[in-house]
Amino acid sequence: DAGVIQSPRHEVTEMGQEVTLRCKPISGHNSLFWYRQTMMRGLELLIYFNNNVPIDDSGMPEDRFSAKMPNASFSTLKIQPSEPRDSAVYFCASRRRQTNEQFFGPGTRLTVL
Amino acid sequence: KQEVTQIPAALSVPEGENLVLNCSFTDSAIYNLQWFRQDPGKGLTSLLLIQSSQREQTSGRLNASLDKSSGRSTLYIAASQPGDSATYLCAVSLNNAGNMLTFGGGTRLMVKP
């Protein structure tokens, strides 16, 4: 298995632009999580899905952030419009149903100028 | 609100030494606890998962213990190697929170040859 796949790996954009991050979870995993990691705040959960349905989005910082999971093999996290304080590494993780163990993707390093 | 603390924040040891990393959490009603490793600029790699009903888990030179009642977990690394240098993160999931993970700040380990 290829593990959790994220794209792009790096994204540099200007303030005000729309940013879309993509994630393909491990096949057969039923839950998907989006996290954000910064030096100041560490790892924070933004939103998670069970069986493609958003369960808890209380970690989404603002209405500028939105996430979708149209099917079991794909999810997006969108920021519109982006701001410099959104600069961080964004991780996607999926969970194995049987053990509840989470597996992380390599992350997308976002820089908003 | 669950809080997870890891001490020390940074640790430097000579190669071959046995070491212990500590993790404490404030709410003992956890579903499981997971230890991760993160290399610089990389994603998180799952090392060990301990279910709430378990006391410890072992994988190779790694041993993780869990004491729910006292809100503590330790990660023991035997015969440390320079390749063990990384940041180690512990994370807990709560019974009533859909297994969302709350992360500690991590311990940055340096093993010197």
Side-chain angles (χ1 to χ4, degrees):
Chain A
D1 198 318
V4 177
I5 299 172
Q6 290 186 247
S7 65
R9 295 294 309 278
H10 302 273
E11 176 81 22
V12 180
T13 190
E14 293 186 345
M15 182 175 64
Q17 297 297 307
E18 175 181 304
V19 175
T20 299
L21 311 181
R22 298 174 176 80
C23 175
K24 176 178 169 56
I26 294 173
S27 177
H29 285 194
N30 69 315
S31 298
L32 183 141
F33 304 78
W34 282 101
Y35 293 89
R36 178 172 67 178
Q37 186 177 40
T38 61
M39 289 292 292
M40 291 296 294
R41 301 174 68 90
L43 263 166
E44 301 173 287
L45 177 68
L46 300 177
I47 185 172
Y48 84 97
F49 297 82
N50 272 354
N51 299 315
N52 313 339
V53 176
I55 302 300
D56 191 319
D57 65 354
S58 59
M60 297 284 260
E62 299 173 33
D63 292 343
R64 298 183 296 105
F65 286 69
S66 63
K68 294 181 180 180
M69 192 166 186
N71 57 62
S73 60
F74 183 66
S75 176
T76 59
L77 177 67
K78 183 181 293 186
I79 308 173
Q80 180 184 22
S82 58
E83 297 183 2
R85 60 194 168 118
D86 302 331
S87 298
V89 181
Y90 291 81
F91 288 104
C92 174
S94 66
R95 184 179 71 192
R96 178 184 298 174
R97 182 199 306 264
Q98 290 81 2
T99 65
N100 287 306
E101 186 175 7
Q102 291 193 22
F103 294 85
F104 280 68
T108 295
R109 182 173 295 276
L110 173 65
T111 302
V112 183
L113 303 174
Chain B
K1 179 186 174 183
Q2 176 74 276
E3 293 184 2
V4 181
T5 304
Q6 291 187 245
I7 296 174
L11 181 64
S12 181
V13 300
E15 180 178 5
E17 193 164 296
N18 301 325
L19 57 99
V20 174
L21 307 181
N22 297 295
C23 172
S24 61
F25 45 94
T26 55
D27 187 341
S28 62
I30 65 169
Y31 188 85
N32 60 45
L33 183 146
Q34 202 166 346
W35 281 94
F36 295 89
R37 168 186 173 139
Q38 185 175 27
D39 293 283
K42 305 290 186 182
L44 279 69
T45 300
S46 178
L47 297 174
L48 291 164
L49 172 75
I50 309 177
Q51 303 289 356
S52 62
S53 59
Q54 297 174 322
R55 299 277 303 179
E56 65 177 345
Q57 282 285 340
T58 298
S59 176
R61 294 181 295 107
L62 305 179
N63 176 276
S65 67
L66 174 63
D67 184 342
K68 267 185 58 176
S69 60
S70 67
R72 294 180 182 177
S73 175
T74 61
L75 179 66
Y76 175 82
I77 303 177
S80 58
Q81 303 171 357
D84 296 330
S85 298
T87 296
Y88 291 81
L89 296 136
C90 73
V92 300
S93 63
L94 295 179
N95 285 329
N96 63 349
N99 296 316
M100 299 184 295
L101 291 178
T102 301
F103 281 84
T107 294
R108 190 170 62 255
L109 173 66
M110 172 73 72
V111 181
K112 297 180 178 180

